[in-house]
Amino acid sequence: MSLIERIKAKAALNPKRIVLPEGDEERTIRAAAIIQKEGLAVPVLLGNAAVILKKAEELGADIEGIELIDPESSPQAETYTEALYELRRAKGLSREEAAKLVKDPMYFGIMMVKLSHADGLVSGAAHTTGDMLRPALQIIKTKPGMKVVSSSFLMDCPNKELGENGLLVYADCVVMPCPTAEELAHIAVSAAETARTLCDIKEPRVAMLSFSTKGSAKHELVTKVQEATAMAHELAPELLLDGEMQLDAALIPEIGQSKAKGSPVAGRANVLIFPDLQAGNIGYKITQRIGGAECFAVLQGLAKPCNDLSRGCSVEDIVSTVAMTCVQAQN
Ligand code: ACO
């Protein structure tokens, strides 16, 4: 079974209620029909019911039985307006602005998750990453003890000698352009949790990546990764985590042995922490496009699961992301 097949099987064991704010978007409608048919989650589509039903009919997508909620006319709008106003009034949000925002399906969906009227949310087929992330960051906020929201990419590589039988978790490739050492430490701890939850990796082995291995180069960027490594040890003393190290030292046993002798991680890492977003984003795309890996993105560190799609996503990408969100919600 591939990684995503295992995740779908896990999702179907306990389907959670996942809200899709882009409910009138065609790929989303098709995906909702598949999700319902395969029992991967209980999808809820936001938008005008007449529009959604008409599109579903044109597409030949069977969405009978799927709950449709129109933020424009929902009786919950008032509850969400009050709750949003209370949450953001200190930030200068007025009641009128809150009322306007909850008519936006993205905010309405986030409020459903916030008030536990849904277990998770998937959006981004028609929104930029920033527009999807901002309400989640402002309203759902981080889990207790977690300083930042970040992302992991689950990389299913054709070379099964790498990582955990070909599986590698990369972080952060989506959210934090320039993390501080402390933020990098939190990203590392979150990514290890994602490896456990979604990849069933029992023993995450986390490599803090750099262009230097164990002091081979001296530079302020290297120092930052060294500091992040020390902070991550303090945050999660039981976690197998080491750094700083180069990518080859992290992945290839002989190189790990020669460059970082005695490291519990070098040469056998299954979680890779990139020093910033440029490295992480470029790194996952190289692995995908040149290395032929299948990849799946999730957000981590949020108090409740919300996940972003790429605007170029396929119907299958939406189905997979909903299944991953469902598994995150089960945990
Ligand atoms: N974790 C937790 N909270 C955060 C984080 C974070 N990483 N980032 C921002 N916040 C909070 C802030 O504390 C603030 O909360 P408050 O309003 O309650 O005080 C709120 O979110 C908004 O913060 P801003 O700094 O105003 O956020 P901004 O909108 O400027 O940026 C964003 C946040 C959108 C995540 C930004 O960092 C970003 O654009 N990141 C890159 C996204 C991207 O383009 N990724 C690459 C493409 S995706 C791909 O290739 C798959």
Side-chain angles (χ1 to χ4, degrees):
M1 250 201 228
S2 70
L3 170 68
I4 198 63
E5 284 164 350
R6 288 202 302 275
I7 289 173
K8 285 180 180 173
K10 215 167 161 182
L13 290 176
N14 182 9
K16 295 287 177 184
R17 192 171 149 85
I18 307 297
V19 59
L20 302 167
E22 295 159 331
D24 56 12
E25 194 278 327
E26 294 188 359
R27 289 161 296 171
T28 305
I29 294 172
R30 285 188 201 273
I34 296 170
I35 292 157
Q36 168 163 267
K37 186 161 168 245
E38 297 185 7
L40 303 176
V42 179
V44 179
L45 293 172
L46 300 188
N48 180 287
V51 173
I52 297 172
L53 289 169
K54 183 163 177 283
K55 281 197 183 169
E57 196 184 337
E58 284 163 8
L59 295 167
D62 179 6
I63 60 164
E64 202 183 326
I66 293 182
E67 189 177 353
L68 310 177
I69 301 177
D70 187 352
E72 289 280 350
S73 57
S74 164
Q76 292 290 1
E78 215 169 297
T79 310
Y80 295 165
T81 297
E82 270 316 295
L84 179 59
Y85 171 61
E86 284 307 321
L87 285 166
R88 301 294 296 174
R89 60 192 285 192
K91 294 278 172 182
L93 187 77
S94 69
R95 190 175 265 114
E96 292 68 35
E97 286 164 335
K100 201 164 156 219
L101 280 179
V102 299
K103 299 227 182 285
D104 174 342
M106 190 59 223
Y107 276 86
F108 189 95
I110 288 285
M111 290 311 296
M112 284 178 72
V113 177
K114 181 73 180 177
L115 299 191
S116 301
H117 297 169
D119 301 306
L121 172 146
V122 172
S123 184
H127 286 83
T128 63
T129 297
D131 287 346
M132 184 275 152
L133 275 173
R134 216 165 284 113
L137 297 172
Q138 290 173 343
I139 295 164
I140 303 291
K141 297 276 179 194
T142 50
K143 281 184 187 168
M146 186 49 60
K147 221 177 151 45
V148 289
V149 173
S150 59
S151 72
S152 272
F153 266 79
L154 318 182
M155 310 299 300
D156 198 354
C157 304
N159 180 352
K160 300 300 170 201
E161 286 179 12
L162 293 172
E164 193 80 7
N165 196 24
L167 279 186
L168 287 163
V169 174
Y170 286 15
D172 168 23
C173 310
V174 177
V175 185
M176 301 216 61
C178 203
T180 62
E182 189 186 13
E183 288 166 346
L184 209 47
H186 281 262
I187 291 170
V189 174
S190 268
E193 188 188 320
T194 297
R196 284 196 194 94
T197 308
L198 283 172
C199 302
D200 277 333
I201 293 178
K202 304 264 178 306
E203 183 188 71
R205 295 182 295 276
V206 185
M208 305 295 283
L209 297 181
S210 171
F211 58 83
S212 162
T213 302
K214 298 284 180 183
S216 64
K218 301 216 176 326
H219 190 277
E220 61 191 283
L221 293 175
V222 175
T223 308
K224 179 164 111 176
V225 180
Q226 290 167 340
E227 286 170 2
T229 305
M231 288 177 191
H233 281 309
E234 277 177 36
L235 280 174
E238 77 298 344
L239 185 61
L240 289 183
L241 176 144
D242 203 7
E244 86 292 357
M245 67 180 76
Q246 289 155 288
L247 182 83
D248 54 355
L251 291 181
I252 312 298
E254 309 83 72
I255 302 177
Q257 263 303 305
S258 79
K259 290 190 175 180
K261 204 169 169 31
S263 164
V265 170
R268 53 199 292 267
N270 48 28
V271 179
L272 303 180
I273 306 304
F274 291 83
D276 67 23
L277 188 54
Q278 305 222 46
N281 193 272
I282 294 166
Y284 102 75
K285 289 186 184 192
I286 289 178
T287 313
Q288 178 188 33
R289 300 289 171 184
I290 301 179
E294 266 198 281
C295 61
F296 307 95
V298 285
L299 294 175
Q300 58 195 13
L302 279 167
K304 298 194 177 169
C306 298
N307 280 309
D308 181 33
L309 298 161
S310 140
R311 277 174 295 165
C313 68
S314 64
V315 172
E316 190 46 40
D317 292 333
I318 302 176
V319 173
S320 300
T321 305
V322 168
M324 292 192 292
T325 310
C326 179
V327 172
Q328 285 180 311
Q330 290 168 355
N331 286 274

